[in-house]
Amino acid sequence: MIEVAPLRYGVIFKKVFSKPHIFTAFVKDMLGIEIEISKVETEKSFSPVIGNVDSRFDLFAQDKKNRFIVDIQYKRYKDHYDRFLHYHCAALLEQITSSANYKPDMQVYTIVVLTSGDKHKTDILVTDFSPKKLDGTCITETQHKIVYVCPKYVTDKTPEPYQEWLKAINDSLDNQVEENDYQNEIVQEIFSLIKKDKISPEEYARMKDEYSDEEYMQEQIQKAREEEVLLMAKNMKEAKVAIKTIAEVTGLSMEQIESL
């Protein structure tokens, strides 16, 4: 058993997966695609900005045929399927420079790692852009794809080679891993890179900043929820709904409702 820095932190995830050979191995096992790249960019954005939002990709790499995006998300957002669809489409739209040809030079593949889980509680979800006949048969015109992986829900039924990667990411989240449980040499290398004694003071400082941001976000989400409940109770009270019923629906106390 070794102590490690959790891969839920962007600074740690990028430290590991920005290495071209690790990124390449991850893409191969997640997408089944062999790629040749010399670098992986972090916090990649396009200039000029595509659309109204300056989308930034955690990890971005491309070979001659494909663009690959890997994003890690620890916070749970209600809109993360739409959020990463937007990122994915930005990487498509940036390639189109003329109305004479809408076919991008490169296919775009996005892998989203949801370390905190997802409401659907599924290990792997795929958004596939291939046109399909009514009987479900695919037409191989567009290969673009978004793959959402949730390490929290990996099971023995999760297909190889996803399984070992997802287990490794999930195991790191409690700050320790049993390295002898893993056979993949790249995964072993990752554990070596994220050992606590290999984390620099600068990386620890950035981890602390990320943790503070997460706490603040959770506080804001909780505050918004409380305000929604109070507004609902107020509206019900104005509509002459019985105080007891309002309390049952909202979970507020009689005193809280009376004070509205």
Side-chain angles (χ1 to χ4, degrees), residues 36-83:
E36 293 184 12
I37 57 173
S38 59
K39 66 177 181 178
V40 179
E41 298 178 69
T42 60
E43 295 300 313
K44 168 73 174 180
S45 62
F46 296 125
S47 181
V49 173
I50 308 300
N52 296 321
V53 180
D54 184 10
S55 301
R56 293 182 179 271
F57 310 112
D58 286 345
L59 297 156
F60 180 96
Q62 62 185 38
D63 61 12
K64 293 180 179 180
K65 296 181 179 179
N66 307 289
R67 277 184 168 174
F68 300 94
I69 299 162
V70 176
D71 277 283
I72 179 170
Q73 180 176 307
Y74 183 69
K75 308 179 190 74
R76 287 199 191 196
Y77 292 113
K78 293 187 296 184
D79 67 345
H80 57 228
Y81 290 103
D82 296 292
R83 177 185 298 258

Side-chain angles (χ1 to χ4, degrees), residues 81-97:
Y81 290 103
D82 296 292
R83 177 185 298 258
F84 291 107
L85 177 60
H86 177 89
Y87 286 14
H88 185 89
C89 290
L92 276 170
L93 293 172
E94 192 272 340
Q95 300 181 63
I96 308 305
T97 58

Side-chain angles (χ1 to χ4, degrees), residues 166-185:
L166 269 62
K167 282 184 176 179
I169 293 171
N170 193 56
D171 280 356
S172 78
L173 302 185
D174 64 357
N175 297 90
Q176 58 183 15
V177 296
E178 178 50 73
E179 72 274 31
N180 294 324
D181 290 344
Y182 297 87
Q183 307 302 316
N184 189 317
E185 292 181 1

Side-chain angles (χ1 to χ4, degrees), residues 130-164:
S130 295
K132 297 178 178 64
K133 296 181 181 180
L134 290 178
D135 65 3
T137 305
C138 290
I139 304 299
T140 56
E141 281 292 328
T142 51
Q143 302 299 310
H144 317 295
K145 185 181 295 184
I146 307 173
V147 178
Y148 299 89
V149 296
C150 298
K152 186 175 181 179
Y153 307 120
V154 63
T155 69
D156 292 339
K157 294 182 180 179
T158 302
E160 289 288 357
Y162 295 91
Q163 192 172 126
E164 189 151 336

